[in-house]
Amino acid sequence: MKVPFYGHVKQYHNIKSEIDKNMHEVLESGNYVMGPMLNRFEQELAAYHGMKHAIGVGNGTDALWLSFIALGIGPGDECITTTNTFFATAEAIWVANATAVFVDSDPKTNCIDPTRIEAAITPKTKALVPVHLYGQCADMKAIRKIADKHKLFVIEDNAQAIGARGDGFKIGELSDAVCTSFIIQKNLGTFGDGGAVVTNRDDLDKAVRRLRNHGSEKRSCHSMGFNSRLDDLHAGVLSAKLKHIDEWNDLRRKWSARYTACLKDGRNFTLPTETPGYRHIFHLYVIETKRPEQRDPLLDFLNKNGIDAKCHYPIAIHQQEGYPWGKQARIAGPIPNSERNAACCISLPMFPELTPEEVDFVIEKTLEWDRTAA
Ligand SMILES: Cc1ncc(COP(=O)(O)O)c(C=O)c1O
């Protein structure tokens, strides 16, 4: 049996008529950039979050740095985040010419550890950038408290957790901006690149709208800006898919529960945990081998048995060759949890369209390796 890592084409086939209808509508409308379909999707996305504004942009990375720039974050300013995230979180800080400050992650959730943040704050600190890694929210209540005390912006990197919730808080409720990616592999993904900023702040909405469109609010009138818009064809795909996101996230939760129930007695790896009261939407189901030297053998074993397991992210940002490429960066305190996560992580196949047979095959092979592992 072969178990793929993604189910994009299956997902397309399952709701083909809904996607095709929206794409057809865009194609026939003659409006492909900043047209009515984008407008409609932005309203739907804002409503889904229970927030005032959503602004479609070119990708999730742009969503982050456009938000930073719109908030006035720039040279000399420090933004605190983690190194065990996708590279783009730090890259966006550097695109804004700010300084990336890295603190350790929580060993249970792999999201930023709020207890490490205050020691990293300096008079130059402007923002906290928690990443809702793998589909589970960071501890936003603790993060908000620190931000209030030190008067900092909070920008949520929500590329991986659309539809997740915390214990008594929603995504967006405790921050200035939520930045989302719609690249195909995300829980809500289009057939290519896309992103959005979601916010309750009128000033941020206005600034990001202006910046994404060549600094323009009115035809022929410009200030300095960029070109980073979500195309209407992508908005049409996303509008069709948004109606299914909760049901798809529920399926991810179902497959995760099956993995967890059957793998819980493994001797050589630990399983992801859901913080009580949270809704984890399992963008990724990431296990960690107990020892770093076990990771590649397990990955190899699964791959050789037809299971497309992967690693997210095996080389933490500060471990990348050439780091920090002349950009401003600082590691605040030891970061053993982020480094352990990078060294030991393996992502098992996780997408809504998995079949019970595929999930059981992954379980069987993972346990087979576990029995024989040194
Ligand atoms: C945590 C995180 N931040 C930012 C991004 C950047 O999004 P994009 O690839 O759409 O630029 C991604 C995904 O790719 C991500 O996983």
Side-chain angles (χ1 to χ4, degrees):
M1 177 184 281
K2 290 224 173 307
V3 185
F5 197 75
Y6 299 118
H8 309 145
V9 179
K10 262 191 187 175
Q11 185 172 83
Y12 172 51
H13 291 160
N14 287 345
I15 59 159
K16 188 173 184 309
S17 60
E18 295 159 62
I19 290 177
D20 289 357
K21 178 173 171 287
N22 283 2
M23 289 181 78
H24 190 253
E25 187 178 324
V26 174
L27 291 173
E28 289 295 339
S29 77
N31 288 302
Y32 310 127
V33 179
M34 308 251 299
M37 188 59 87
L38 176 61
N39 197 24
R40 179 172 114 192
F41 174 63
E42 287 179 339
Q43 286 177 22
E44 290 168 350
L45 188 67
Y48 179 76
H49 285 82
M51 293 174 69
K52 277 170 84 176
H53 310 288
I55 312 110
V57 298
N59 53 67
T61 314
D62 289 6
L64 286 162
W65 63 255
L66 284 164
S67 300
F68 298 150
I69 292 174
L71 288 165
I73 295 169
D77 296 333
E78 295 183 349
C79 299
I80 299 178
T81 189
T82 40
T83 67
N84 58 323
T85 168
F86 182 60
F87 188 71
T89 312
E91 190 177 38
I93 295 171
W94 290 321
V95 170
N97 285 313
T99 302
V101 176
F102 301 109
V103 299
D104 206 9
S105 46
D106 178 295
K108 284 213 187 91
T109 65
N110 291 303
C111 297
I112 195 166
D113 180 347
T115 67
R116 307 283 164 186
I117 293 175
E118 283 206 274
I121 291 174
T122 72
K124 293 180 176 174
T125 307
K126 273 281 167 62
L128 306 180
V129 187
V131 182
H132 303 320
L133 200 71
Y134 304 150
Q136 177 156 241
C137 293
D139 182 351
M140 290 299 296
K141 285 186 193 161
I143 290 166
R144 183 71 253 165
K145 254 192 209 151
I146 298 166
D148 286 343
K149 182 169 162 198
H150 297 272
K151 301 199 172 6
L152 305 174
F153 295 124
V154 180
I155 298 102
E156 294 175 73
D157 182 337
N158 192 35
Q160 302 191 359
I162 188 163
R165 271 195 310 273
D167 57 340
F169 68 86
K170 288 192 300 186
I171 286 174
E173 203 178 338
L174 301 174
S175 69
D176 295 279
V178 178
C179 299
T180 304
S181 165
F182 301 127
I183 193 168
I184 182 65
Q185 65 265 31
K186 297 306 189 217
N187 289 33
L188 180 65
T190 185
F191 303 121
D193 279 303
V197 178
V198 187
T199 181
N200 277 329
R201 287 182 58 154
D202 297 341
D203 59 340
L204 195 58
D205 173 60
K206 197 164 148 63
V208 174
R209 280 185 193 285
R210 192 177 62 243
L211 287 170
R212 75 165 174 185
N213 187 33
H214 303 290
S216 177
E217 286 174 5
K218 201 167 111 191
R219 192 172 170 79
S220 303
C221 298
H222 299 270
S223 58
M224 185 55 206
F226 310 89
N227 178 354
S228 181
R229 300 171 296 219
L230 180 67
D231 292 328
D232 279 55
L233 274 171
H234 289 310
V237 173
L238 292 163
S239 171
K241 287 192 175 191
L242 184 62
K243 296 176 180 59
H244 297 274
I245 189 68
D246 289 339
E247 141 211 344
W248 288 338
N249 282 342
D250 283 344
L251 282 167
R252 287 172 182 270
R253 288 175 57 78
K254 175 175 135 185
W255 300 133
S256 297
R258 193 166 179 131
Y259 276 148
T260 298
C262 298
L263 295 174
K264 67 178 188 324
D265 297 326
R267 291 176 303 123
N268 295 291
F269 48 76
T270 56
L271 303 180
T273 54
E274 182 176 54
T275 309
Y278 281 51
R279 174 176 161 86
H280 191 327
I281 50 84
F282 292 97
H283 170 58
L284 294 166
Y285 187 93
V286 178
I287 67 174
E288 287 184 11
T289 52
K290 292 239 169 106
R291 287 180 285 118
E293 61 274 19
Q294 293 175 313
R295 193 265 302 282
D296 290 350
L298 173 55
L299 185 65
D300 238 42
F301 181 83
L302 294 174
N303 290 166
K304 283 198 179 114
N305 279 283
I307 295 165
D308 189 13
K310 296 185 186 298
C311 293
H312 298 82
Y313 298 93
I315 309 173
I317 292 169
H318 67 294
Q319 299 166 333
Q320 296 286 342
E321 200 179 329
Y323 164 89
W325 308 276
K327 297 293 179 189
Q328 297 300 311
R330 179 162 65 81
I331 297 178
I335 51 171
N337 294 322
S338 298
E339 292 184 342
R340 190 215 58 255
N341 179 228
C344 301
C345 61
I346 293 194
S347 312
L348 301 182
M350 176 48 62
F351 55 90
E353 298 77 16
L354 277 164
T355 64
E357 293 74 27
E358 287 170 333
V359 173
D360 289 347
F361 185 66
V362 176
I363 291 166
E364 182 193 317
K365 288 294 159 192
T366 307
L367 290 177
E368 189 179 320
W369 173 83
D370 189 54
R371 281 194 295 275
T372 55

